[in-house]
């Protein structure tokens, strides 16, 4: 292994510009004659829109224009779309209500977009927005997930029961039969609390129109700029694709919330042509709380059937998922194919049946948030398994071992086919790391200090590398999810890699360069990664679902295969040898059995000099592209174990130890992988202990709309994470990698809640395990 090749702990190349303040984020960009947008947002969760009087705002200092939904409709601009079609159990398509970029007829959540004010400065736009007079007829708000389908009010007037779809997967009859013959049934009522993403950089956009070329440019905080361009062009109708450029520069975190196409960037690019000047919008944190797509928000009744030998025979779950007021870009896929298809967990469960009812409410739209369906599935499975072990009087590690999948490929009853893994190895290593056999001694020590100690397991699995076009297409995706790459070798031997993946914290500029440096035998500083600009990079599908490594890097690997093959042709011609005798290793082309050799840079130059090339055999230049569409998802898995101490007097929970042993296949850069695991655990712990998006049940007002009321985890909430790894190579990509970006967020909530409930001796408790909630659980019987 070289110092900069695959497997090396290479420092992140991109970090220098970030930590020295030289990053280039959307809000850092300022264009000539730029104006500023500020959105008038609904103060009501549900209301009919009456007259919108913009005259005073239009006359305010610095105001350039004020637009409402009527202006959007007059220009024939379409609404936002959901790109994943789900059908109900009866075969009917999902009920997709209208999603206008500026409200029309109704507002449906607090923060809904009513009008936009465009002015010479942000301050002037904000001040003028206060002068827009809007007449509202307030309607009853639908807020509660569990009762939305039976509420009297309708979020969308023509959609009955506020229901998007009633969906199911698995064999209902076979599952019912397994339950009827079970020796033991464990039942849990579970709530997966709503979360607000809170990326470090809020969303931002700049729309620009060039009258000379009749073309648009949108700078935006996007995880997938090509998909944004496709939707804005083909579905919303802003401009033809070749007349619309989307640039996503440095992006300060996304966690899924920047995958989607939002109203704000759409309005900015549309209105830029109307005012003839660039329009900039940057969200305030208050706007981010209100209008960024939220995550999770499930209510489930889950059951596990077990035979007399302690073997799981069936799992059954009924979930109601809240999708908010409108369907966001991928909202419908999250509680269906990204959730229920993972309900087998790491276990050999012969029968599974899941029903998912999705509902509209007068709350912010809900879509993918780090893990997207997989954390919800893991929470159901791992809470059930841990609780079942306790009810049966079995050690939770032993119960898991008894039920693990052990042979591959393994076909689950809910679509997924696991292709590799060794779950027992991860469990054993995690138990050894945390010294599980000494836990009761630690519990006794805590008791002597007046603390209650608990331990919780989470043996998770996830489907990553979200891609297989045939698979996702058959499941309702509107597009295939392959990835693209182009490798350009310059005459002097340095390399530019154009990737359809997008980096917003993952470290692609380092890991992708490591792959190229390793394959071509060149220094890593001779490799440049280019992404995020639809005019520079070929069409790509972006970054989400831990797909950049398994799918994006495989596309690069395929392009490198072609570069090497072409370079061998060039070398064979220059060195006057048969192409089959050319060998390439460590950056050098040699002729088998001779001392003839050419460095990679020499061959690159020869490819462009092209002296005496037989043009019918070798084209000049050294540039190759590739697309990769995998045959299957990848299946990272692992075991996280959390230990907590609870103060029974205050309900305060302290995480005192954490071990995680993950199987991500081959690892490109251990530093970056460990950082991803740390970040994922932190977000998962945040959900389990502190975070909770709460709406007033009567008015629909967001009660947790700032950091005063929405508690983010702090450094003091975490112990030192102790990590380990196992390796089973993924068989469906040449690099053997699986993906790591979401694992911590998937595993952590169940590990924490299993530990807390173990500590305080209760069966059921909803997240977050805040001091108040824990104290209440401890004192419920008083």
């Amino acid at each position: 292994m070289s110092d900069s090749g695959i497997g090396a702990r290479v420092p992140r190349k991109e970090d220098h510009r970030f930590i020295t303040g030289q990053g280039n984020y959307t809000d850092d960009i300022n264009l000539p004659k730029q104006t500023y947008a500020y959105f008038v947002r609904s103060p009501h969760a549900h209301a009919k829109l009456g007259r919108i009087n913009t005259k005073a705002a239009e006359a305010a200092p610095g105001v350039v224009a004020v637009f409402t939904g009527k202006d959007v409709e007059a220009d024939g601009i379409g609404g936002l779309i959901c790109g994943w079609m789900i059908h109900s159990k009866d075969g009917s398509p999902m009920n997709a209500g209208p999603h206008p970029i500026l409200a029309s007829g109704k507002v449906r959540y607090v923060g809904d977009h009513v009008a936009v004010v465009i002015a010479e400065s942000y301050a002037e736009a904000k001040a003028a927005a206060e002068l827009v007079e809007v007449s509202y007829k307030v309607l009853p708000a639908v807020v509660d997930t569990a009762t939305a389908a039976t509420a009297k009010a309708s979020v969308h007037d023509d959609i009955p029961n506020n229901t998007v779809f009633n969906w199911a997967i698995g064999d209902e009859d076979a599952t019912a039969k397994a339950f009827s013959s079970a020796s033991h049934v464990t039942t849990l009522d579970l709530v997966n609390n709503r979360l607000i993403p809170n990326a470090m950089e809020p969303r931002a956009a700049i729309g620009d129109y060039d009258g000379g070329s009749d073309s648009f440019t949108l700078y935006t905080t996007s995880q997938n700029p090509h998909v944004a361009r496709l939707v804005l062009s083909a579905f919303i109708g802003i401009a033809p694709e070749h007349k619309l450029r989307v640039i996503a520069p440095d992006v300060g975190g996304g966690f899924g919330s920047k995958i989607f196409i939002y109203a704000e960037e759409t309005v900015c690019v549309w209105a830029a042509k109307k005012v003839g000047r660039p329009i900039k919008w940057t969200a305030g944190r208050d706007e981010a709380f209100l209008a960024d797509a939220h995550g999770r928000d499930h209510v489930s009744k889950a059951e596990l059937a077990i035979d007399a030998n302690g073997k799981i025979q069936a799992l059954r779950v009924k979930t109601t998922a809240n999708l908010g007021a409108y369907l966001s870009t991928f909202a419908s896929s999250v509680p269906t194919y990204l959730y229920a298809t993972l309900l087998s967990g790491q276990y050999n469960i012969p029968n599974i049946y899941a029903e998912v009812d999705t509902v509209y409410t007068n709350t912010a739209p809900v879509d993918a948030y780090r893990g997207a369906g997989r954390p919800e599935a893991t929470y159901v499975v791992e809470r059930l398994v841990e609780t079942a072990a306790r009810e049966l009087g079995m050690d939770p590690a032993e119960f898991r071992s008894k039920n693990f999948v052990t042979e591959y490929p393994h076909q689950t009853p809910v679509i997924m086919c696991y292709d590799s893994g060794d779950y027992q190895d991860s469990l054993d290593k995690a138990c050894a790391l945390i010294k599980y056999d000494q836990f009761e001694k630690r519990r006794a020590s805590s008791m002597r200090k007046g603390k209650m100690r608990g331990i919780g397991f989470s043996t998770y699995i996830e489907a990553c590398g979200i891609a297989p076009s045939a698979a996702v297409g058959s499941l309702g995706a509107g597009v295939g999810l392959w990835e693209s790459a182009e490798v350009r070798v310059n005459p002097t031997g340095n390399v530019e890699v154009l990737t359809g993946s997008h980096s917003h914290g993952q470290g692609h500029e380092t890991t992708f360069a490591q792959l190229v440096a390793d394959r071509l035998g060149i220094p890593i500083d001779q490799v440049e990664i280019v992404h995020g600009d639809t005019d520079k990079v070929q069409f790509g599908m972006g970054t989400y679902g831990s797909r950049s490594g398994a799918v994006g890097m495989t596309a690069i690997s395929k392009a490198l295969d072609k570069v090497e093959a072409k370079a061998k042709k060039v070398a064979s011609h220059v060195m006057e040898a048969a192409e089959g005798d050319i060998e390439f290793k460590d950056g050098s082309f040699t002729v088998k059995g001779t001392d003839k050799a050419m460095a990679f840079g020499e061959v690159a130059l020869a490819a462009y000099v092209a002296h005496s090339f037989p043009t019918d055999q070798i084209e000049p230049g050294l540039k190759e592209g590739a697309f990769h569409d995998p045959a299957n998802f990848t299946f990272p898995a692992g075991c996280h174990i959390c230990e907590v101490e609870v103060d029974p007097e205050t309900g305060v929970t302290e995480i005192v130890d954490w071990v995680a042993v993950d199987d991500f296949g081959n690892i490109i850069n251990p530093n970056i992988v460990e950082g991803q695991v740390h970040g994922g655990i932190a977000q998962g712990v945040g959900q389990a202990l502190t975070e909770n998006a709460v709406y007033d049940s009567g008015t629909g007002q967001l009660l947790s709309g700032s950091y005063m009321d929405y508690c983010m985890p702090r450094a003091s909430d975490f112990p030192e994470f102790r990590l380990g790894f196992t390796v089973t190579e993924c068989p469906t990509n040449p690099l053997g990698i699986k993906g790591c970006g979401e694992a911590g967020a998937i595993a952590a909530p169940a590990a924490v809640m299993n530990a807390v409930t173990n500590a305080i001796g209760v069966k059921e408790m909803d997240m977050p395990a805040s001091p108040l909630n824990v104290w209440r659980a401890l004192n419920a019987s008083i």
Side-chain angles (χ1 to χ4, degrees):
M1 181 179 71
S2 72
D3 291 340
S4 60
I6 291 175
R9 291 182 176 271
V10 178
R12 289 181 15 139
K13 294 176 65 178
E14 51 268 75
D15 280 354
H16 178 265
R17 73 174 186 273
F18 292 147
I19 63 178
T20 57
Q22 298 179 75
N24 185 39
Y25 299 90
T26 299
D27 192 55
D28 293 323
I29 299 168
N30 292 291
L31 303 180
K33 299 182 179 180
Q34 177 177 284
T35 62
Y36 296 81
Y38 190 87
F39 285 85
V40 178
R41 297 179 183 275
S42 171
H44 304 292
H46 195 196
K48 287 186 177 179
L49 269 180
R51 184 168 179 265
I52 303 176
N53 186 346
T54 63
K55 289 184 178 179
E58 289 168 344
V63 171
V64 175
V66 181
F67 298 118
T68 68
K70 289 184 178 179
D71 300 297
V72 174
E73 292 173 1
D75 281 7
I77 298 300
L80 305 179
I81 67 160
C82 179
W84 202 298
M85 172 55 71
I86 299 294
H87 289 80
S88 288
K89 291 181 289 185
D90 64 5
S92 61
M94 66 186 186
N95 296 311
H99 191 175
I101 60 173
L102 293 175
S104 177
K106 258 184 154 187
V107 289
R108 294 181 172 88
Y109 69 100
V110 175
D112 207 349
H113 315 77
V114 175
V116 62
V117 177
I118 299 160
E120 298 292 347
S121 70
Y122 173 80
E124 288 170 322
K126 185 176 181 179
E130 297 289 335
L131 303 176
V132 176
E133 298 176 359
V134 184
S135 174
Y136 297 99
K137 182 181 179 181
V138 178
L139 301 170
V142 180
V143 177
D144 182 58
T145 301
T147 61
T150 57
K152 293 181 180 179
S154 294
V155 178
H156 294 271
D157 294 341
D158 57 346
I159 295 178
N161 305 317
N162 294 313
T163 296
V164 186
F165 51 79
N166 302 119
W167 178 86
I169 190 171
D171 189 325
E172 182 177 15
D173 292 339
T175 302
K177 184 177 180 181
F179 269 90
S180 68
S181 61
S183 174
H184 179 83
V185 173
T186 292
T187 302
L188 284 175
D189 291 313
L190 298 168
V191 174
N192 209 288
N193 46 321
R194 178 183 280 237
L195 304 176
I196 301 174
N198 282 294
M200 187 177 292
E201 176 203 23
R203 290 188 295 115
I206 304 172
D208 190 22
Y209 174 71
D210 183 341
S213 61
D214 188 29
S215 61
F216 295 82
T217 300
L218 172 64
Y219 300 86
T220 184
T221 49
S222 175
Q223 297 177 217
N224 48 356
H226 279 99
V227 174
R229 184 181 70 167
L230 174 64
V231 172
L232 289 167
S233 174
F235 298 98
I236 298 175
I238 294 295
E241 275 190 278
H242 69 293
K243 293 290 187 179
L244 175 59
R245 180 184 187 184
V246 176
I247 301 172
D250 288 329
V251 174
F255 313 120
S257 69
K258 294 174 182 173
I259 299 172
F260 324 121
I261 291 80
Y262 288 90
E264 292 91 351
E265 60 255 35
T266 307
V267 168
C268 285
V269 72
W270 159 72
K273 181 176 182 179
K274 296 184 76 66
V275 303
R277 295 171 63 183
I279 300 172
K280 183 177 189 175
W281 169 80
T282 300
R285 189 59 69 178
D286 55 343
E287 291 180 286
F289 271 95
L290 287 173
D292 283 5
H294 293 181
R296 315 294 191 246
D297 205 342
H298 285 195
V299 176
S300 299
K301 182 180 181 63
E303 302 169 281
L304 198 66
I306 304 141
D307 69 15
N309 297 314
K311 298 283 284 186
I312 299 171
Q313 296 302 305
L315 183 149
R316 184 165 56 196
V317 61
K318 175 66 180 289
T319 294
T320 301
N322 187 345
L323 297 185
Y326 303 103
L327 292 185
S328 180
T329 311
F330 293 114
S332 58
S333 68
V334 176
T336 52
Y337 292 111
L338 296 180
Y339 162 67
T341 58
L342 274 302
L343 286 172
S344 193
Q346 295 187 5
Y347 311 107
N348 186 358
I349 305 178
N351 303 284
I352 298 175
Y353 181 69
E355 290 184 343
V356 178
D357 295 341
T358 52
V359 293
Y360 287 113
T361 61
N362 294 117
T363 63
V366 176
D367 209 318
Y369 173 64
R370 195 171 191 170
R374 281 73 53 84
E376 296 93 314
T378 296
Y379 191 69
V380 168
V381 174
E382 289 303 294
R383 288 287 291 117
L384 274 174
V385 167
E386 191 92 1
T387 304
R390 294 172 190 171
E391 291 178 346
L392 293 168
M394 290 184 67
D395 181 274
E398 179 188 346
F399 183 62
R400 285 174 167 84
S401 296
K402 183 184 283 286
N403 287 284
F404 277 153
V405 171
T406 57
E407 296 181 358
Y408 303 90
H410 173 78
Q411 180 63 56
T412 75
V414 281
I415 295 179
M416 294 299 179
C417 182
Y418 304 163
D419 55 20
S420 61
D422 188 340
Y423 310 143
Q424 189 64 50
D425 192 20
S426 297
L427 176 63
D428 290 344
K429 288 185 176 179
C431 286
L433 269 176
I434 208 162
K435 297 181 179 178
Y436 182 50
D437 58 348
Q438 298 177 33
F439 170 71
E440 290 303 331
K441 292 182 180 178
R442 298 193 294 274
R443 191 200 291 270
S445 175
S446 296
M447 287 181 65
R448 289 192 291 271
K449 296 184 297 181
K451 299 292 179 70
M452 306 173 80
R453 196 177 190 106
I455 192 166
F457 290 75
S458 181
T459 50
Y460 75 95
I461 190 168
E462 53 173 323
C464 286
I466 304 300
S469 295
V472 298
S474 69
L475 303 179
V479 293
L481 298 179
W482 39 263
E483 196 48 86
S484 67
E486 184 177 293
V487 176
R488 297 177 180 174
V489 181
N490 295 320
T492 53
N494 46 49
V495 177
E496 297 170 81
V497 177
L498 284 69
T499 173
S501 299
H502 186 275
S503 182
H504 40 278
Q506 292 87 350
H508 294 170
E509 293 176 39
T510 304
T511 53
F512 288 12
Q514 283 182 256
L515 169 62
V516 176
D518 191 81
R519 284 287 302 275
L520 300 183
I522 60 176
I524 194 170
D525 60 8
Q526 295 294 301
V527 183
E528 189 75 17
I529 307 300
V530 180
H531 63 90
D533 186 337
T534 61
D535 269 16
K536 292 182 178 180
V537 178
Q538 68 290 335
F539 197 104
M541 298 309 298
T543 295
Y544 40 85
S546 300
R547 68 192 304 271
S548 297
V551 188
M553 289 185 76
T554 298
I556 295 172
S557 180
K558 287 184 171 182
L560 288 169
D561 290 341
K562 296 179 181 180
V563 166
E564 181 180 332
K566 172 74 176 292
K568 284 182 175 179
K569 284 187 176 183
V570 173
S572 71
H573 175 75
V574 174
M575 292 190 286
E576 299 179 331
E579 187 179 332
D581 289 337
I582 301 296
E583 297 178 336
F584 180 61
K585 185 179 180 181
D586 298 331
S588 179
F589 293 88
T590 58
V591 179
K592 190 186 306 182
T594 75
D595 59 356
K596 290 184 177 181
M598 292 180 72
F600 178 79
E602 293 176 302
V603 173
L605 181 61
Y608 286 92
V609 171
H611 284 162
S612 67
F613 273 9
T615 55
D616 60 333
Q617 299 175 32
I618 308 176
E619 292 181 353
L622 195 52
K623 179 184 79 170
E624 298 291 345
F627 289 77
H628 178 59
D629 195 353
N632 195 5
F633 301 99
T634 65
F635 297 98
C639 176
H640 288 221
I641 306 177
C642 169
E643 275 193 45
V644 301
E645 277 190 340
V646 176
D647 184 338
E649 297 296 321
T650 63
V652 171
T653 299
E654 179 187 1
I655 299 175
V656 293
D657 202 359
W658 193 291
V659 302
V661 177
D662 297 292
D663 177 7
F664 300 137
N666 292 327
I667 290 176
I668 304 298
N669 186 317
N671 282 347
I672 288 176
V673 169
E674 290 166 4
Q676 288 289 316
V677 175
H678 288 176
I681 294 171
Q683 285 183 282
V685 169
Q687 176 174 15
L689 290 184
T690 66
E691 298 182 49
N692 197 25
V694 180
Y695 285 89
D696 184 271
S697 60
T699 65
Q701 294 291 328
L702 181 63
L703 302 180
S704 53
S706 76
Y707 292 132
M708 292 293 290
D709 302 295
Y710 187 91
C711 185
M712 299 287 284
R714 296 165 173 80
S716 58
D717 293 318
F718 307 113
E720 180 178 346
F721 302 130
R722 296 188 289 135
L723 308 185
F725 299 97
T726 61
V727 177
T728 61
E729 293 188 359
C730 175
T732 58
N733 67 70
L735 302 173
I737 57 182
K738 296 185 177 183
C740 66
E742 298 165 295
I746 291 168
V752 173
M753 295 308 292
N754 283 336
V756 171
T757 54
N758 176 246
I760 66 176
V762 301
K763 177 179 177 180
E764 294 183 348
M765 182 181 172
D766 292 337
M767 295 184 287
S770 64
L772 177 60
N773 288 344
V774 172
W775 188 90
R776 282 175 172 167
L778 278 166
N779 293 277
S781 60
I782 297 176

